[in-house]
Amino acid sequence: MKLIICENYDEMSARAAELIKKQINEKPTSVLGLATGSTPVGMYSRLVTMYNNKEVDFSGVRSVNLDEYYPLSAEDEQSYRYFMNKNLFDHVNIGKNNTHVPNGLAKDPEKEGKEYDDMIASLGGVDIQVIGIGQNGHIGFNEPDTSLIYGTHLVKLTENTIQVNSRFFDSEDKVPRYAMTMGIGSIMEADKLLLLISGASKHKALMALLDDKIDTNVPATMIKLHHNATVICDKDAYNG
Ligand code: PGA
């Protein structure tokens, strides 16, 4: 696992955007694994600027997102599909049909999970997977537990996640209690992982990545097993 410590959020976002640009320029049909939340917003905004400056072309790019609230419609302003359109897809030349986010209204979540993993395989797998991390160490919505699930699945969110994510909603009771998430196995199958960590609230989770333990109660520690994982953090996250 490679660790890059940046001065601040802006530098972290710029470094991450450079790596995505490089990936697309080297392989214009790349499959990008994408994440939502506050952390990657700066990276997306830089990618939009790069696109406007003709430094990168998304016309051949395919994307798969890590997760989606359940039950929630793609049209809902709180949905991760809405987030992705607003922060990236609406501003670059990616084909919307080439972008994939788990269906937050799937009637049969188990079937949806399997189909999502099959769809990723049919694209040839993920070239680079961007990941954020929860204060509790979750990646995607793989919450701390005694065991972790391999494939895309329905998950019950922990109280901590509901509380932390309530900042995006009118009130805590509006936060969906479930989500569809790529599993730890689906994430680990990506060729490269890019984990972004910003802010003092993530210090504890980051420190768990820097010791030599793998702990399902801190799901992000699984990435220590990956052959090509890069963590980009800012000093606030590193110093706490
Ligand atoms: P955040 O979320 O970027 O909004 O902190 C990350 C996560 O919970 O995975």
Side-chain angles (χ1 to χ4, degrees), residues 112-126:
E112 163 71 15
K114 186 165 180 342
E115 286 173 0
Y116 200 74
D117 288 330
D118 288 348
M119 178 276 297
I120 296 173
S122 76
L123 298 177
V126 173

Side-chain angles (χ1 to χ4, degrees), residues 47-112:
L47 284 169
V48 170
T49 304
M50 289 168 170
Y51 167 72
N52 288 331
N53 292 340
K54 301 197 172 9
E55 292 169 49
V56 64
D57 173 12
F58 287 82
S59 60
V61 169
R62 286 84 50 80
S63 74
V64 299
N65 261 78
L66 277 173
D67 45 20
E68 179 60 282
Y69 285 116
Y70 186 93
L72 201 65
S73 138
E75 279 78 47
D76 194 296
E77 291 190 14
Q78 301 294 352
S79 75
Y80 286 162
R81 160 55 75 181
Y82 189 94
F83 173 103
M84 288 310 303
N85 289 348
K86 187 174 70 146
N87 285 285
L88 183 67
F89 301 154
D90 285 347
H91 311 289
V92 298
N93 65 339
I94 195 166
K96 279 273 171 69
N97 289 341
N98 289 332
T99 67
H100 306 273
V101 180
N103 178 6
L105 290 181
K107 288 215 171 56
D108 182 344
E110 201 176 317
K111 186 159 166 268
E112 163 71 15

Side-chain angles (χ1 to χ4, degrees), residues 36-40 132-134 138 140 167-168 202:
T36 52
S38 311
T39 311
I133 190 170
H138 72 201
R167 70 190 191 280
F168 298 113
K202 305 285 176 70

Side-chain angles (χ1 to χ4, degrees), residues 187-202:
I187 293 172
M188 292 286 284
E189 281 182 9
D191 266 3
K192 304 182 201 89
L193 299 181
L194 177 57
L195 176 55
L196 307 181
I197 312 183
S198 169
S201 68
K202 305 285 176 70

Side-chain angles (χ1 to χ4, degrees), residues 9-229:
Y9 177 80
D10 281 346
E11 190 192 334
M12 179 198 76
S13 304
R15 295 287 289 264
E18 280 300 328
L19 288 178
I20 300 296
K21 177 174 98 172
K22 183 166 177 280
Q23 172 68 42
I24 299 172
N25 287 340
E26 282 173 10
K27 182 180 173 190
T29 58
S30 286
V31 177
L32 306 180
L34 299 176
T36 52
S38 311
T39 311
V41 170
M43 177 191 76
Y44 292 138
S45 131
R46 276 169 177 76
L47 284 169
V48 170
T49 304
M50 289 168 170
Y51 167 72
N52 288 331
N53 292 340
K54 301 197 172 9
E55 292 169 49
V56 64
D57 173 12
F58 287 82
S59 60
V61 169
R62 286 84 50 80
S63 74
V64 299
N65 261 78
L66 277 173
D67 45 20
E68 179 60 282
Y69 285 116
Y70 186 93
L72 201 65
S73 138
E75 279 78 47
D76 194 296
E77 291 190 14
Q78 301 294 352
S79 75
Y80 286 162
R81 160 55 75 181
Y82 189 94
F83 173 103
M84 288 310 303
N85 289 348
K86 187 174 70 146
N87 285 285
L88 183 67
F89 301 154
D90 285 347
H91 311 289
V92 298
N93 65 339
I94 195 166
K96 279 273 171 69
N97 289 341
N98 289 332
T99 67
H100 306 273
V101 180
N103 178 6
L105 290 181
K107 288 215 171 56
D108 182 344
E110 201 176 317
K111 186 159 166 268
E112 163 71 15
K114 186 165 180 342
E115 286 173 0
Y116 200 74
D117 288 330
D118 288 348
M119 178 276 297
I120 296 173
S122 76
L123 298 177
V126 173
D127 289 296
I128 186 164
Q129 176 69 58
V130 178
I131 324 172
I133 190 170
Q135 291 178 21
N136 66 0
H138 72 201
I139 50 175
F141 274 129
N142 293 278
E143 299 283 32
D145 209 335
T146 49
S147 65
L148 300 170
I149 294 175
Y150 193 96
T152 302
H153 61 283
L154 184 70
V155 62
K156 187 167 177 19
L157 302 180
T158 59
E159 281 308 315
N160 176 267
T161 295
I162 291 166
Q163 193 207 327
V164 170
N165 286 12
S166 65
R167 70 190 191 280
F168 298 113
F169 291 79
D170 292 339
S171 63
E172 200 171 308
D173 57 293
K174 296 260 166 56
V175 184
R177 268 33 189 178
Y178 291 86
M180 291 294 303
T181 184
M182 277 167 66
I184 288 289
S186 334
I187 293 172
M188 292 286 284
E189 281 182 9
D191 266 3
K192 304 182 201 89
L193 299 181
L194 177 57
L195 176 55
L196 307 181
I197 312 183
S198 169
S201 68
K202 305 285 176 70
H203 176 69
K204 198 162 151 246
L206 172 57
M207 289 304 116
L209 284 178
L210 302 182
D211 65 27
D212 63 358
K213 287 205 264 317
I214 291 161
D215 181 356
T216 58
N217 281 305
V218 189
T221 57
M222 292 296 293
I223 79 159
K224 295 177 197 183
L225 296 171
H226 198 276
H227 62 283
N228 191 342

